[in-house]
Amino acid sequence: MADTSITKVDSKFSPHGPDGQKYLASGTQVAMRLWENEQPGEAKEDARRDYETVGFVISGRAELHLEGQMVLLEPGHSWVVPKGASHRYRVLEPFTAVEATTPPAHAHQRDE
């Protein structure tokens, strides 16, 4: 029998990660998180993750440095960070974006 459960998450009550992300709905194969009003600052350190990330910019601007390339992220842009790729972000102006990760980057199973 197929899974018939429904998950609804109200972001007002979502758990927050250590970097300010809000964890949204997640399933067995994908999870969502919200980066809301992230403030400008220095680029974060390069990271490699054991999941793929896709994102969508709601407002603001940021740079995504990915494997030696840089792309500017602006409202309406979407992006992909492949699993294992070296990357970092630099927020240029207050930034809000939604990301989905697969496999899920769950709220209580990892720090970032």
Side-chain angles (χ1 to χ4, degrees), residues 2-91:
D3 185 354
T4 59
S5 61
I6 296 174
T7 301
K8 176 184 171 184
V9 174
D10 185 336
S11 67
K12 291 182 282 189
F13 305 107
S14 294
H16 288 74
D19 293 323
Q21 69 272 37
K22 285 185 178 180
Y23 292 100
L24 304 175
S26 64
T28 59
Q29 300 298 312
V30 67
M32 292 176 59
R33 56 190 178 186
L34 174 66
W35 299 89
E36 192 169 41
N37 200 30
E38 291 290 309
Q39 294 301 304
E42 294 299 316
K44 297 183 179 186
E45 299 215 9
D46 281 357
R48 292 181 189 273
R49 303 286 183 233
D50 59 354
Y51 51 81
E52 179 177 67
T53 301
V54 297
F56 179 80
V57 180
I58 296 168
S59 64
R61 294 179 332 125
E63 294 174 350
L64 168 58
H65 297 259
L66 178 67
E67 294 289 346
Q69 302 175 64
M70 190 280 288
V71 293
L72 181 63
L73 302 175
E74 298 182 302
H77 292 178
S78 58
W79 74 92
V80 175
V81 176
K83 178 180 177 178
S86 176
H87 68 285
R88 69 181 181 276
Y89 297 91
R90 179 170 170 247
V91 176

